[in-house]
Amino acid sequence: MTTIVPGGNTHRGAPDRRDAGGCVRGSDYAVLSRQVKRAGLLARRPGYYWVKAATNLLLLAAGWAAFVLIGPSWWQLAVAAFLAAAFTQTAFLGHDAGHQQISGSRRVNVLLGRLHGNLLVGLGYGWWVAKHNRHHAHPNQVDRDPDIATGAIAFTRQSVRARRAPGAWLARHQAWLFFPMLLLEGFHLHLAGVRALVGRGATSRANTSGTTRLVEGGLLLAHAAGYLTVLFWVLAPVQAVGFLLLQQGLFGLYLGCSFAPNHKGMPIFGKDHKSDFLRRQVLTARNIRGGRITDFALGGLNYQIEHHLFPSMPRPNLRRAQALVRAFCTRNDIAYCETSLTGSYAQVLRHLHAVGGPLRPELEY
């Protein structure tokens, strides 16, 4: 089971702070960052992204064209599965825009993020960026990373012990229910984005101007209106509902399965833990082995360590950066985790099962 690392530093071994000339300069991360910049790995890749965006738009258009041509038929469930995959690939582009990977202009990235997130997929871009930035700043840190905050899934035994029924029952069986619950992730993300826009609390209004709310809310409304109108105009009501449940369910499952391997089951830091940026990012992340197909299927998230160290690095450069980062970690005795996709899921499920252990009376702790 993954344990919580208490307060303290995470330095291991003697760090190598030498630059290319052999001089000792700056922190470990500063040395690595200079190597990455010299290799040109932070340079924008506009050609890649415009081709990627155009291809993705063609796939979305093809999916909806097939939907209209097929008409009222249960064969539409195949189209629903196709569009679930296309929606996820679109969300990956929104993710890259949120990290300023696509363009050197923040305004262009925000525009692309809102179009891919709010309009094409129906996810609140502004809400997600704010939440995701907090995760990047403090990955797997109790009370600081929103991705391990109290929710349907419990990631620490402290949160498990505070649960009461039915939350306790859910935590007890969460390893078995994890993948089925991901079928609801798409619906959860839609609702969370809407709640952030209409909420009255300080958290909802943080960094969100009235104009931003109007723009993002309008795009979300346009997506929902267009999506539901097309479904119920073309299909019989029962078919439309079936299409919606399958398409959104598979979208959530695909998206959840792409993010799940990244940090779940890796070390969790206590809320007072102190460590340097490089080790905080590397020790809490997990890479997934694979080739170009894996890169495409996971939207580059399989290079989670490199992505967390350099969030603005364009997706196609992550593969090139991996060898450099891995070698640097080896020289500085920093654990670098890499496994297969199935192996990562096994680690995630073992962690979730162990976390729920105190609620299973057949086990003694």
Side-chain angles (χ1 to χ4, degrees):
M1 186 192 90
T2 299
T3 56
I4 295 182
V5 180
N9 293 322
T10 339
H11 293 271
R12 296 171 54 194
D16 181 1
R17 295 192 176 94
R18 292 170 296 178
D19 62 15
C23 300
V24 179
R25 298 178 57 191
S27 67
D28 293 343
Y29 181 73
V31 175
L32 176 60
S33 183
R34 285 194 292 270
Q35 294 177 15
V36 167
K37 289 177 181 177
R38 281 196 296 267
L41 297 175
L42 295 180
R44 296 289 183 266
R45 299 285 298 274
Y48 168 87
Y49 276 112
W50 290 122
V51 170
K52 188 77 174 175
T55 302
N56 204 65
L57 286 174
L58 287 174
L59 291 175
L60 285 171
W64 287 117
F67 176 86
V68 173
L69 291 174
I70 293 174
S73 166
W74 287 107
W75 285 106
Q76 292 283 15
L77 296 183
V79 179
F82 175 84
L83 284 174
F87 269 39
T88 306
Q89 289 293 322
T90 303
F92 288 155
L93 284 170
H95 168 270
D96 292 0
H99 281 296
Q100 309 298 307
Q101 295 177 15
I102 300 177
S103 170
S105 166
R106 181 177 182 82
R107 182 173 298 180
V108 171
N109 283 315
V110 170
L111 174 62
L112 292 173
R114 288 174 177 168
L115 291 176
H116 285 85
N118 295 59
L119 182 62
L120 295 178
V121 179
L123 301 182
Y125 172 77
W127 161 80
W128 177 83
V129 167
K131 171 180 176 291
H132 196 61
N133 285 344
R134 294 198 304 274
H135 158 70
H136 266 262
H138 302 281
N140 273 20
Q141 187 164 8
V142 175
D143 292 342
R144 306 193 76 174
D145 182 358
D147 286 359
I148 62 170
T150 301
I153 298 293
F155 295 101
T156 66
R157 286 192 173 175
Q158 288 86 337
S159 63
V160 162
R161 291 189 177 97
R163 291 202 171 194
R164 300 294 181 268
W169 181 90
L170 185 62
R172 188 184 308 131
H173 301 93
Q174 62 182 6
W176 297 98
L177 297 173
F178 178 69
F179 287 109
M181 288 173 64
L182 288 180
L183 292 168
L184 301 175
E185 182 64 13
F187 297 101
H188 166 259
L189 292 173
H190 291 307
L191 292 175
V194 172
R195 283 199 304 268
L197 288 176
V198 302
R200 297 179 179 275
T203 301
S204 298
R205 294 187 180 277
N207 301 319
T208 306
S209 67
T211 302
T212 296
R213 288 189 171 212
L214 286 175
V215 171
E216 293 211 7
L219 291 173
L220 286 177
L221 184 61
H223 170 84
Y227 182 89
L228 295 175
T229 298
V230 170
L231 257 60
F232 286 92
W233 184 271
V234 173
L235 302 179
V238 66
Q239 292 174 336
V241 171
F243 182 99
L244 185 151
L245 293 175
L246 181 65
Q247 196 265 335
Q248 292 295 319
L250 292 180
F251 165 57
L253 180 65
Y254 182 4
L255 198 62
C257 285
S258 300
F259 280 91
N262 302 339
H263 301 277
K264 293 174 176 59
M266 296 301 290
I268 294 177
F269 293 158
K271 61 181 179 180
D272 297 323
H273 180 83
K274 304 294 182 181
S275 62
D276 67 289
F277 176 81
L278 186 145
R279 286 165 178 78
R280 182 166 69 248
Q281 302 299 335
V282 174
L283 296 178
T284 59
R286 176 195 294 114
N287 275 16
I288 304 301
R289 288 192 293 267
R292 300 291 181 179
I293 294 178
T294 304
D295 294 357
F296 171 79
L298 297 183
L301 298 175
N302 45 313
Y303 302 107
Q304 191 66 195
I305 294 174
E306 289 71 27
H307 171 58
H308 260 255
L309 288 172
F310 305 99
S312 65
M313 181 181 289
R315 192 195 308 182
N317 291 351
L318 293 171
R319 169 179 282 271
R320 295 170 53 201
Q322 183 184 33
L324 191 156
V325 172
R326 185 165 47 196
F328 186 89
C329 289
T330 299
R331 289 197 304 272
N332 289 275
D333 193 26
I334 303 172
Y336 183 101
C337 181
E338 187 178 20
T339 186
S340 67
L341 184 61
T342 55
S344 73
Y345 291 145
Q347 292 175 26
V348 170
L349 295 180
R350 282 196 296 268
H351 170 66
L352 295 179
H353 184 72
V355 165
L359 297 178
R360 291 192 293 274
E362 69 275 13
L363 299 179
E364 295 183 359
Y365 289 85

